[in-house]
Amino acid sequence: MAYSPPSRSSRSWRRAVLWRVLGGLGVLVGVAVVLVVLGWNARVHVEVAEDQVVVGQWQPLEVRAWTEATSGFRAPGQTDLPLVITDEEEPDLLSGAPTSSRLGLYPPAEATYRLDGAYAQLHASVRVVPRPWHEQGAARLVIYGDGAPLYDSGPLDSTQAAPTIRVPIGGVGELRFAVAAVEDQEPGILYVEDPQVLRTLIAGNNARVGSVGRLLALRQEHQRQAVQSTLRREGAELTRLVRRWRAGAGPADAVLSGQLPSGALVLSNPEIALLLETDGPGRGTLRLLELGHGRLAGDGLRPAVLLTDGTTRALADLQAGQAVQTSIQDPVLGPGRALRVPFAAPDGELSVTLELAAFPDAGAALLRLEADRPVRQFVLLDSPEAGLVVGDEPQYVTDFSRPREGAVRDDGLVRSEVVGLGAPLFLWSEPADAGMVLAVLDETDLPPRYDLRRQPGDVRVQVTVSTPPALEGGITTTRSPRLYLQPTDTADPRSALAAFRALSVAEHPPPPMPSWVRHQWGSWYVYGTAIDESKIREQIDYIADYLGDVGPWHILLDAGWFIAEGRPGAELGRVDTEKFPSGIRALVDYAHARGLRVILYYSAPYVDTKPVVSEWLALPGFIEQHPEWLIPLGMAGDQASYAYNFAHPGLRQYMRDLLRRYYLEWNADGLLIDMLGHTEGAALNLAPPDRFGIVAPVLRQTLDIYRFLWEETQRLRPDAFVEGAWDTPLLARSYAHTWRYADDASEFRSPYPFGGLVEHIDYAVLQHLLLAQRPHMGAVIGQPDARVNLWWLGAGLALGSQVVLSLPLTSIAPEDLAEYRAYLTQMRPFAGETRLGEGLHPETFATTRDGTSFVGVLNRERATREIPVDLGELGLDEHAVYAVYDVEQRKAFPARAGFVARLAPESFRLFVLRREPGVLWTTSSFRVLPGRGCLRVRVSGPAVVPGVLHAYTPAPRAVYLDGRALPEVAAAVEGWQYDPASGLLTVHYLHRGTEELRVEC
């Protein structure tokens, strides 16, 4: 055979083989070099990930290093963050094995981590653990990489062995664990145990997973844009039809009802329209239009009822009858129009009437259902195939005595929330600048539930609102409560929620504050239950001597004054005479004689027998005497837990007698109502919490207890001060003066239930924006010289809120006392006007009163930042020039329109502003006097505190203290100095009782 040279293709094949061999040798050499350099103790491994050889180093995923995290926990003692359980044993140093850890997620829950494309694989084991008091639990884990699903466990239950997972994560920038409940099964805690990630050291193109995620995100973005475009066209077309119909149906500013040419029933005012289909495939479904912008705000909304036999009947499954149109008169909203449509089952066994109502000046509608038979739950809203339309990237916020908020991602997972009685849920989209406000307005025995879901590639949020029947006079009816529906043309909660706040306050107005309420000192964080008569008298004396001049004070005598801790005969109201030998009345009389008032601790409805020191709810004496007044909750060892049964006439009379002792026998000035709705530390095997942490026999009494205590207080002591705490529903707004958020930690940031400064600021903001409650920002605690304490007081000033001091006052150094006095002399809770910066978590907020504005600036980040302060946004004249006093820096500067505040990481700054001459900051109590001179002030203070007053004035000619001319000197015991650039006058003087400071300009 003749020789023929290799072809070009054959030579190319050989060259390719040669390069592959050389490449393989290169990888092996590289592996060898890495192993030699790093050593085996560095846990370098060769793995196959995405069909590629990867040389990497296994590292523990630091479970606390999440960038975002939420958990479905809601009970006291459980934080809003996932559980983290760490094995405290020392790691195996020989093998380099890391300490193992577990990330516990209770549905709905998420935890997100930044990986920045540096890892190739995730390894972990997964198991589900039932919650206490439940034998089984189930959950589902879905893992996402850059928005793309990487792993789905499907339903897992606590009877299964822990599966081990290996998930490719090459090129993933953001890793997200999402845990959802399993339908019709009790939720359990899902643990991701010992999660490890393989950090890439040597690999080829190891970014395939991240690329797939980004490609999927792009595809879904195009899909969402297509859906948005379709909804936009439908909204515009429906708006044209309704406007054309309105033009011929009646006056332009009226509420009109009738039928469109398409056959749909319509109820409309100039701002919104509700369209109801009564026939065809869309029978029993609603559409909601926002007419101002021609926007379809709700599509395919389907009310339904869940009957007592467990069956669900949607209006779509029933036959519609003849609609009835009537005029109505709402006590708050005024005259309006209602559309009532009956729906009946063909067999006649069920009839449900849908009532829609609208009003001329309201951009909201009301929806209500009424059945002709008992109903377990009303499903006021359901949207299995459509939903509410607010735009892409929707978020929500609501309240269940603490903030509940999150993003509604288009992952198809259900996010469930229970919502406090009367509280709204605000759903919005920043990119679309649109939103929706929903609220169940009327009383029910337990809170409503909201389920939110968004399908991949969709912009509509499928929302289900289910609620128990309405209560009327304490009786369960066959009617639902009213559902408030308000589309908004803004995502700004300040304006979007304004109409709801006004309606809620009008229906449940807050009582006027007693004139004597201003400063509060609380015993709990100083002494706990170890209080006694001498300790409290010592604090009373200190306040009277050193702080009494800064305004009226009252003492909160917290738990510990009554016999508790499981001792024989323990019950609320039985004074511990070993601690208080003179009795409570003698202590109250002593406080009154020194110019202070006293409010007492009151707790309901949970009690138990647990014999533990500091367990203030362990009241076996009461339990033994009155078992018929109690609802058993559970037993465990020597602990038996109960709830008061406020429906029992005997218990109500006992509580009337107890309050009579509080107010008449002991002459107390008010009470703190604690622990309502909660069972922290209780044995609950007889009344286990539901999936939301609700113990029904306890929570369903909250509103009745608030109402009972308020009515008795008004009967016995109309000027008493009442604080609400823990369970704080909006429908109780008329039954207490202020509302506390959880407990407190002397930290910048700390999770529920021991909130830090940030958490208390955020909840006070939520109380302003969402709840229209008077916020009580909790207690300043810990060491008196802690900087966070003054930040806390400053934030209270800027938010117009109440703050309680729970400090050992007698240990305060004189220089710290001077600083506290400066804050306290300016503090007047709930006086003036409070304005907030943008968003749910504003960085700026201000309260203006008597020409002085207290502006708070908060840097939440872990880096120094320059934060702009917009004076116009905070309600100030952006054209005027203000003197701005920086309290922390103790300097002033002029500002027009705004200024920039430079703040250290995780810090707060208070600024005091005036545009007219007046006092900015002082260690003295003061009162501005009328008359000659550019500033006349009466000042007072204790001799141990140096007098310092900073004021905004024109250039002074002289400064007098009780007629004595003070020298113009920069640093002296008594004297003054002036900065013409800022207009800041600083005066130093000694406190000699009450004196008059006069400035001549």
Side-chain angles (χ1 to χ4, degrees):
M1 180 179 291
Y3 169 77
S4 61
S7 66
R8 179 182 296 270
S9 62
S10 176
R11 287 196 298 270
S12 298
W13 176 82
R14 291 176 182 176
R15 188 181 298 113
V17 170
L18 178 62
W19 280 112
R20 286 186 180 181
V21 171
L22 292 175
L25 289 173
V27 170
L28 292 175
V29 171
V31 169
V33 170
V34 169
L35 294 180
V36 170
V37 173
L38 298 179
W40 287 104
N41 280 352
R43 305 184 75 208
V44 176
H45 294 267
V46 180
E47 302 280 353
V48 177
E50 307 172 64
D51 300 325
Q52 297 184 61
V53 176
V54 177
V55 179
Q57 182 181 18
W58 283 107
Q59 298 177 352
L61 177 69
E62 175 50 58
V63 294
R64 285 191 178 89
W66 52 62
T67 56
E68 293 179 76
T70 61
S71 178
F73 286 148
R74 290 167 175 81
Q78 298 172 326
T79 75
D80 289 308
L81 299 176
L83 294 173
V84 176
I85 301 177
T86 301
D87 185 352
E88 298 298 338
E89 295 179 2
E90 290 295 324
D92 184 343
L93 298 178
L94 184 63
S95 67
T99 302
S100 62
S101 59
R102 289 185 287 164
L103 174 68
L105 297 159
Y106 180 77
E110 296 186 6
T112 301
Y113 298 88
R114 291 298 309 171
L115 300 184
D116 298 322
Y119 299 87
Q121 198 168 78
L122 166 73
H123 176 273
S125 59
V126 178
R127 69 187 179 106
V128 177
V129 175
R131 292 184 302 143
W133 311 295
H134 294 276
E135 294 183 357
Q136 287 186 291
R140 172 187 169 205
L141 171 66
V142 186
I143 301 176
Y144 297 88
D146 294 329
L150 306 180
Y151 170 82
D152 190 338
S153 70
L156 297 173
D157 66 55
S158 53
T159 63
Q160 296 174 280
T164 299
I165 62 173
R166 282 183 177 268
V167 182
I169 56 174
V172 168
E174 181 185 87
L175 185 72
R176 178 165 62 96
F177 298 94
V179 173
V182 177
E183 189 172 357
D184 298 325
Q185 294 192 53
E186 188 67 36
I189 304 171
L190 187 142
Y191 284 101
V192 180
E193 299 193 317
D194 195 20
Q196 306 282 315
V197 285
L198 182 63
R199 184 174 184 84
T200 305
L201 299 176
I202 299 176
N205 181 20
N206 187 40
R208 187 182 310 168
V209 175
S211 299
V212 169
R214 289 184 285 275
L215 181 62
L216 178 63
L218 183 62
R219 185 181 302 125
Q220 290 184 349
E221 172 64 22
H222 290 159
Q223 185 177 341
R224 288 193 295 269
Q225 289 176 357
V227 173
Q228 277 184 318
S229 179
T230 299
L231 292 171
R232 196 175 294 116
R233 288 196 302 271
E234 290 183 7
E237 178 60 28
L238 288 171
T239 298
R240 282 194 293 271
L241 290 175
V242 171
R243 285 176 175 168
R244 190 179 306 129
W245 169 81
R246 283 186 58 86
D253 59 349
V255 180
L256 304 174
S257 58
Q259 192 168 32
L260 294 176
S262 65
L265 295 175
V266 59
L267 177 70
S268 169
N269 67 18
E271 297 181 50
I272 60 169
L274 277 167
L275 279 61
L276 173 65
E277 298 289 344
T278 57
D279 203 1
R283 182 177 62 209
T285 62
L286 284 162
R287 283 181 159 181
L288 175 60
L289 288 173
E290 197 263 299
L291 298 177
H293 296 80
R295 182 170 68 88
L296 183 63
D299 187 26
L301 310 179
R302 299 177 50 175
V305 294
L306 174 62
L307 302 176
T308 54
D309 62 6
T311 60
T312 298
R313 304 294 296 273
L315 297 189
D317 302 328
L318 308 176
Q319 299 292 328
Q322 183 67 38
V324 177
Q325 306 171 43
T326 60
S327 298
I328 58 173
Q329 181 72 33
D330 186 271
V332 173
L333 293 168
R337 193 158 186 81
L339 184 65
R340 291 175 56 87
V341 185
F343 288 81
D347 56 13
E349 291 187 356
L350 174 67
S351 177
V352 180
T353 298
L354 170 66
E355 179 181 282
L356 306 173
F359 303 86
D361 300 323
L366 302 180
L367 181 155
R368 190 168 203 164
L369 297 175
E370 184 173 358
D372 66 347
R373 55 182 286 190
V375 171
R376 183 188 301 174
Q377 291 276 316
F378 286 97
V379 183
L380 299 178
L381 221 60
D382 196 11
S383 46
E385 297 174 356
L388 300 180
V389 185
V390 295
D392 204 3
E393 301 178 27
Q395 303 174 67
Y396 72 89
V397 64
T398 187
D399 177 75
F400 184 51
S401 301
R402 58 169 147 161
R404 304 298 305 180
E405 58 183 297
V408 189
R409 305 178 192 269
D410 60 342
D411 53 18
L413 300 181
V414 175
R415 290 155 177 85
S416 300
E417 300 287 358
V418 286
V419 177
L421 294 180
L425 182 140
F426 180 43
L427 178 69
W428 79 95
S429 166
E430 291 284 357
D433 198 24
M436 178 74 72
V437 181
L438 303 98
V440 175
L441 296 180
D442 304 309
E443 183 177 352
T444 54
D445 69 337
L446 288 172
R449 167 177 163 176
Y450 290 67
D451 295 331
L452 299 95
R453 181 205 313 249
R454 189 159 66 107
Q455 298 296 347
D458 204 346
V459 296
R460 293 168 294 189
V461 180
Q462 299 169 351
V463 179
T464 301
V465 182
S466 52
T467 173
L471 291 179
E472 294 178 2
I475 305 300
T476 300
T477 69
T478 57
R479 297 202 302 168
S480 78
R482 297 167 297 160
L483 177 66
Y484 176 93
L485 283 164
Q486 179 203 347
T488 73
D489 59 0
T490 176
D492 186 341
R494 295 172 297 185
S495 52
L497 288 156
F500 171 79
R501 288 194 301 268
L503 171 64
S504 180
V505 168
E507 290 197 328
H508 309 284
M513 285 289 291
S515 60
W516 53 267
V517 175
R518 186 165 167 189
H519 301 306
Q520 182 180 95
W521 180 87
S523 65
W524 182 253
Y525 290 104
V526 183
Y527 302 118
T529 58
I531 55 177
D532 62 41
E533 185 175 326
S534 64
K535 292 173 182 175
I536 300 302
R537 287 188 179 225
E538 186 178 30
Q539 300 296 329
I540 289 171
D541 288 340
Y542 185 93
I543 292 172
D545 292 340
Y546 298 105
L547 292 168
D549 62 307
V550 301
W553 282 85
H554 64 275
I555 297 290
L556 166 57
L557 192 61
D558 215 303
W561 57 268
F562 50 89
I563 298 177
E565 301 170 315
R567 290 184 284 164
E571 62 178 296
L572 182 65
R574 185 178 177 190
V575 179
D576 190 333
T577 54
E578 292 182 5
K579 297 178 182 178
F580 295 87
S582 303
I584 299 299
R585 176 59 185 258
L587 181 68
V588 172
D589 287 347
Y590 184 79
H592 287 174
R594 298 238 55 192
L596 283 72
R597 299 193 183 224
V598 178
I599 69 173
L600 296 179
Y601 178 88
Y602 175 93
S603 178
Y606 157 58
V607 292
D608 72 16
T609 61
K610 186 166 50 181
V612 177
V613 174
S614 295
E615 181 51 67
W616 67 97
L617 298 178
L619 307 174
F622 179 86
I623 294 167
E624 292 165 4
Q625 292 179 51
H626 308 292
E628 72 279 9
W629 296 352
L630 299 170
I631 302 169
L633 300 178
M635 302 185 71
D638 59 356
Q639 179 182 8
S641 301
Y642 302 87
Y644 293 135
N645 180 6
F646 261 78
H648 197 290
L651 178 70
R652 294 176 85 91
Q653 186 56 50
Y654 174 92
M655 292 301 175
R656 288 190 186 95
D657 293 340
L658 177 62
L659 292 175
R660 182 188 57 78
R661 296 180 70 194
Y662 272 45
Y663 291 125
L664 301 184
E665 184 177 331
W666 298 333
N667 201 23
D669 300 289
L671 69 159
L672 164 68
I673 306 170
D674 191 26
M675 296 303 293
L676 284 189
H678 291 285
T679 54
E680 184 177 1
L684 297 172
N685 48 306
L686 299 180
D690 71 4
R691 60 172 298 184
F692 297 100
I694 291 173
V695 180
V698 173
L699 187 69
R700 64 165 42 109
Q701 299 188 75
T702 290
L703 198 56
D704 186 37
I705 294 173
Y706 271 125
R707 189 160 38 223
F708 171 83
L709 294 175
W710 178 258
E711 289 172 354
E712 287 302 305
T713 295
Q714 288 299 291
R715 184 175 65 84
L716 296 167
R717 187 71 179 269
D719 69 333
F721 175 51
V722 178
E723 290 186 25
W726 288 101
D727 189 24
T728 59
L730 259 68
L731 298 191
R733 188 193 288 115
S734 299
Y735 307 137
H737 295 100
T738 63
W739 302 91
R740 286 186 182 231
Y741 166 64
D743 278 324
D744 316 287
S746 185
E747 305 287 344
F748 181 78
R749 183 181 276 111
S750 179
Y752 182 93
F754 297 99
L757 172 64
V758 170
E759 287 72 26
H760 279 80
I761 288 174
D762 283 345
Y763 198 66
V765 167
L766 196 74
Q767 289 175 289
H768 280 295
L769 284 177
L770 202 72
L771 309 178
Q773 290 177 334
R774 293 190 187 106
H776 189 309
M777 282 185 58
V780 171
I781 67 175
Q783 295 303 312
D785 60 353
R787 175 56 55 181
V788 72
N789 290 353
L790 299 181
W791 291 348
W792 209 300
L793 289 171
L797 271 170
L799 287 166
S801 169
Q802 188 172 22
V803 180
V804 55
L805 292 186
S806 191
L807 298 169
L809 296 177
T810 52
S811 67
I812 294 181
E815 59 271 21
D816 293 325
L817 174 61
E819 289 206 79
Y820 278 99
R821 283 181 55 86
Y823 285 88
L824 294 169
T825 196
Q826 293 280 23
M827 189 165 284
R828 290 170 179 79
F830 318 117
E833 180 184 16
T834 300
R835 294 287 191 97
L836 305 171
E838 187 177 3
L840 275 178
H841 305 285
E843 296 178 318
T844 61
F845 35 88
T847 293
T848 299
R849 158 176 52 80
D850 300 328
T852 303
S853 297
F854 303 93
V855 176
V857 184
L858 181 67
N859 180 11
R860 304 167 184 270
E861 307 300 326
R862 292 184 171 89
T864 298
R865 294 177 58 223
E866 292 187 342
I867 299 175
V869 179
D870 185 333
L871 298 186
E873 185 177 58
L874 298 177
L876 304 182
D877 186 348
E878 54 191 346
H879 302 294
V881 176
Y882 287 84
V884 182
Y885 180 72
D886 183 334
V887 172
E888 187 168 294
Q889 299 294 324
R890 300 181 182 180
K891 63 182 182 181
F893 56 89
R896 184 198 300 268
F899 58 93
V900 174
R902 182 177 176 83
L903 267 70
E906 294 192 326
S907 65
F908 173 85
R909 191 80 62 82
L910 178 68
F911 299 90
V912 185
L913 283 68
R914 285 192 65 89
R915 59 182 292 187
E916 301 292 341
V919 176
L920 292 167
W921 203 244
T922 178
T923 61
S924 304
S925 59
F926 71 95
R927 184 164 66 91
V928 178
L929 303 173
R932 60 189 182 84
C934 62
L935 182 65
R936 290 181 64 218
V937 184
R938 184 166 291 156
V939 296
S940 181
V944 297
V945 174
V948 182
L949 183 139
H950 302 284
Y952 173 51
T953 68
R957 291 186 291 103
V959 177
Y960 300 91
L961 184 64
D962 257 14
R964 294 180 293 108
L966 297 180
E968 184 180 358
V969 291
V973 174
E974 292 196 323
W976 61 275
Q977 63 186 93
Y978 183 75
D979 176 18
S982 63
L984 179 68
L985 169 68
T986 299
V987 186
H988 293 269
Y989 48 93
L990 297 176
H991 282 128
R992 303 182 182 88
T994 301
E995 298 179 293
E996 181 182 318
L997 183 71
R998 188 174 84 252
V999 181
E1000 297 288 349
C1001 301

